[in-house]
Amino acid sequence: MAAKKPENMTFEETLKELDTIVTGLENGDLPLDTALKQFERGISLARQGQKTLTDAEQRVEILLAQDDNAPLEPFEDTRDE
């Protein structure tokens, strides 16, 4: 099965795969070629994860900048309706 492109993965999927890669690399049991491919994949996942976090931070900053004095309203999750 082909691996998903990092940009098509959720943040949680990215972290889980990155954790698996780090564990495999730390064990030191991988052949050099495989380790290099895993390292390359890990770098791609880490970059995508950082981009996701940066995007989320920017969204929060935009929302907070819109009106600091606005009253807070209860959050209603309308997904899955």
Side-chain angles (χ1 to χ4, degrees):
M1 183 171 111
K4 277 185 171 180
K5 291 183 179 182
E7 58 270 13
N8 295 333
M9 298 171 68
T10 66
F11 182 72
E12 293 76 16
E13 290 172 331
T14 301
L15 283 181
K16 185 175 180 181
E17 184 176 344
L18 189 54
D19 186 50
T20 300
I21 289 171
V22 169
T23 300
L25 291 172
E26 286 179 340
N27 286 337
D29 297 334
L30 299 173
L32 180 59
D33 188 49
T34 303
L36 286 172
K37 287 179 183 176
Q38 289 294 298
F39 181 77
E40 183 178 4
R41 173 77 175 168
I43 293 295
S44 295
L45 291 167
R47 287 181 178 150
Q48 183 60 40
Q50 184 61 49
K51 181 185 179 313
T52 301
L53 287 175
T54 299
D55 291 349
E57 182 180 13
Q58 289 174 347
R59 289 176 62 193
V60 168
E61 287 177 9
I62 289 168
L63 290 169
L64 292 176
Q66 287 178 354
D67 187 357
D68 288 339
N69 297 318
L72 296 177
E73 296 179 19
F75 173 76
E76 293 182 32
D77 189 358
T78 58
R79 293 177 293 171
D80 299 329
E81 286 186 1

